[in-house]
Amino acid sequence: MMIKLSAPLLAACALLLAGCAAPTPVKQTPVLVQTPPRIVVVADPKLTELLAYQASLRAMSSSELVKAQLELARADHAPHNTIRRAMLQATLRTPGDLARAQTLLDSITQATSDEAKLLAPLAQFLSGQYADLRRQDEAVERLNGQVREAQRRNDQLNEKLEALKNIERSLSVRPAAGAPK
């Protein structure tokens, strides 16, 4: 038996078959990725020494820190020694030390000598770090104050609660209403 297909049906079949055909590849334009320029840093021996000094401070005991403080007190006021003093002050972390360290570093950033100009970026970086540490210390102190205040209020409420419990215990038990006396 032979089936006759109409022209519109044949056109629809042709369109369906055309849709199944492999699509022509779309031309992709290459994407250019720009890499940043290579920066070559020549480390200054004084910068390297200061970074090593900072690392050594973190490993020192408190008696070693005091000894280092005495040694720096005898050293001249060259910019690299001033930065070492600031690093030591920041490591000691007694009240006001971070502020004193920042003051020392500010003197480096404002100085005009060649050595100070070389060390100014390090001084600015350290000063920013110390400012962040000061803000964190202030936030911790503020939170500790809030905890102390909450504990004080909690203690007061506990005292009041105990006082109410004592009053309740001291009251005599009253007989129920309508009970014989």
Side-chain angles (χ1 to χ4, degrees), residues 37-45 47-48 51 118:
R38 222 175 185 167
I39 298 174
V40 177
V41 177
V42 177
D44 182 82
L47 284 173
T48 305
L51 294 174
L118 174 71

Side-chain angles (χ1 to χ4, degrees), residues 29-106:
T29 58
V31 177
L32 297 176
V33 177
Q34 187 174 7
T35 57
R38 222 175 185 167
I39 298 174
V40 177
V41 177
V42 177
D44 182 82
K46 287 186 181 175
L47 284 173
T48 305
E49 184 271 329
L50 285 170
L51 294 174
Y53 181 74
Q54 175 66 38
S56 71
L57 286 175
R58 297 176 60 87
M60 287 184 184
S61 66
S62 57
S63 62
E64 291 172 325
L65 289 172
V66 170
K67 183 180 174 185
Q69 195 172 22
L70 292 173
E71 289 173 5
L72 275 177
R74 287 176 274 178
D76 64 355
H77 291 281
H80 69 280
N81 284 333
T82 302
I83 289 182
R84 290 175 76 193
R85 284 184 184 90
M87 290 175 171
L88 184 59
Q89 287 288 325
T91 303
L92 293 173
R93 298 289 290 270
T94 58
D97 278 344
L98 288 173
R100 284 189 286 278
Q102 280 185 286
T103 303
L104 288 170
L105 293 170
D106 289 343

Side-chain angles (χ1 to χ4, degrees), residues 119-151:
L119 297 174
L122 176 62
Q124 289 170 340
F125 173 76
L126 289 173
S127 182
Q129 293 297 309
Y130 299 161
D132 289 343
L133 287 173
R134 285 177 67 189
R135 282 191 290 274
Q136 289 173 1
D137 287 349
E138 290 167 0
V140 165
E141 187 58 39
R142 191 173 44 253
L143 290 173
N144 284 338
Q146 291 172 353
V147 167
R148 284 190 297 272
E149 178 63 23
Q151 185 62 44

Side-chain angles (χ1 to χ4, degrees), residues 5-18:
L5 298 175
S6 65
L9 187 58
L10 285 174
C13 286
L15 283 175
L16 281 174
L17 286 174

